[in-house]
Amino acid sequence: MTPIWTTELPYSLTGSMAPVFDPMTGSVLVSDGWGTPFASLSLRRLSLSDGEVTGTARVRSAVYSTALSPSSESLLIASGKRLLELERATLREIRRWDKGVPQYAHHSVRIGELAVCMSSRGPTVGLFNLDDGSCRRKTVGSCQGLYRHDARSALICSGSEGVVAMLDAAKVTLTTIAAPGPFIHAAYADQAAVVLLGLGVPFDVTSQSVTHNRMSGRLAFVRAQPGAKVVAMDAPVPFSWLSLSPDGRQLVLADGQDVYVCTCDGTSVDVAAQHKLPASLEVALVVHDRELLIAIDTQSKQGAVSAWRIGLQRSPSLSWLTSA
């Protein structure tokens, strides 16, 4: 494969927030990683067409997650012990909150004027009111994925507990919709309202250490509705990363430099194409609508982001998920 563009950034991306695609601006948001001087820590916006840096927000602390809403003209950044609201078009700071915010939010979504935030290890979800600065909390468990479901609710995927739950943000109530068993990875197809899980035990805890396991060999599809049907199946290859398209009909698995484009007929997942990235690069994002894979350099002290064209396979309808 040959990249269609590569952008060199001044600082490492290792340990940073996973890149985020912003469909409203046609761009990818990346943040500086380990080794960056605190005064220089920034969120950067790259054009998806050519990789040009089209905006920079000097945050001066690590960016843990970014929350985009479908129609909002702004975005939220969870940065350690702060929340920032930025204008989406310019990355100009609009508001910030320094007190009472949920800390170290690896996952965040915005539902109206609520910022819903969780650390990967939990154990609580925080619902921070952007209007008055108040925060309500509810004990949940761990968090392998937090996704905006609709205008009033979010999905929380708790891997250690093996539970997918629906959070009613207004009522601060949690309803379990499926309990497929422990899982390591999660992805959400918001158009199809389907959750994809990589099954496995996320943490191996002993009296002396905690190991964060990444490798999975089994998949589970869950419909985002009460009493959801769970469809579990073997993956065609072991994987440490996955991506599901918004319509739920395209699936990409990866492990390091190895990338697998897959088809799924409802009973099994099969590899349709395989790609290998150059050494030191790892897949970080797939923009399914554009058939683009975004990779980052995980070894260099300077960050490199590159875009690669991959042919994606569109599976038949996912109606089998809701069949009797």
Side-chain angles (χ1 to χ4, degrees), residues 142 144 157-164 176 178-183 197 199-200 202:
S142 64
Q144 271 60 50
C157 300
S158 299
S160 294
E161 295 75 15
V163 169
V164 178
T176 296
F183 50 88
L197 307 172
L199 300 179

Side-chain angles (χ1 to χ4, degrees), residues 2 6 36 151 165 305:
T2 302
T6 298
T36 308
V305 184

Side-chain angles (χ1 to χ4, degrees), residues 232-249:
M233 61 191 71
D234 290 332
V237 293
F239 62 93
S240 58
W241 188 91
L242 58 78
S243 178
L244 186 64
S245 64
D247 64 7
R249 296 169 60 191

Side-chain angles (χ1 to χ4, degrees), residues 107 109 116 118-123 125 140-149 154-167 174-189 193-200 202-203 220-224 242:
H107 308 274
V109 297
V116 183
M118 279 195 76
S119 163
S120 292
R121 296 191 180 183
V125 59
V140 177
S142 64
C143 184
Q144 271 60 50
L146 171 64
Y147 308 103
R148 186 180 188 275
H149 177 60
L155 288 167
I156 301 177
C157 300
S158 299
S160 294
E161 295 75 15
V163 169
V164 178
M166 188 81 72
L167 172 72
L174 205 64
T175 303
T176 296
I177 62 173
F183 50 88
I184 302 171
H185 307 287
Y188 183 50
V194 171
V195 180
L196 175 61
L197 307 172
L199 300 179
F203 296 100
F221 290 86
V222 179
R223 190 74 176 179
L242 58 78

Side-chain angles (χ1 to χ4, degrees), residues 49-61:
S49 60
D50 57 14
E52 180 183 354
V53 178
T54 60
T56 301
R58 187 68 62 87
V59 183
R60 293 186 172 85
S61 59

Side-chain angles (χ1 to χ4, degrees), residues 17-71:
M17 170 195 80
V20 175
F21 173 57
D22 180 4
M24 183 178 288
T25 59
S27 61
V28 175
L29 300 169
V30 298
S31 64
D32 297 331
W34 296 336
T36 308
F38 275 94
S40 300
L41 280 164
S42 299
L43 180 78
R44 306 173 194 275
R45 185 178 62 207
L46 309 181
S47 167
L48 195 62
S49 60
D50 57 14
E52 180 183 354
V53 178
T54 60
T56 301
R58 187 68 62 87
V59 183
R60 293 186 172 85
S61 59
V63 177
Y64 282 74
S65 60
T66 298
L68 301 173
S69 297
S71 60

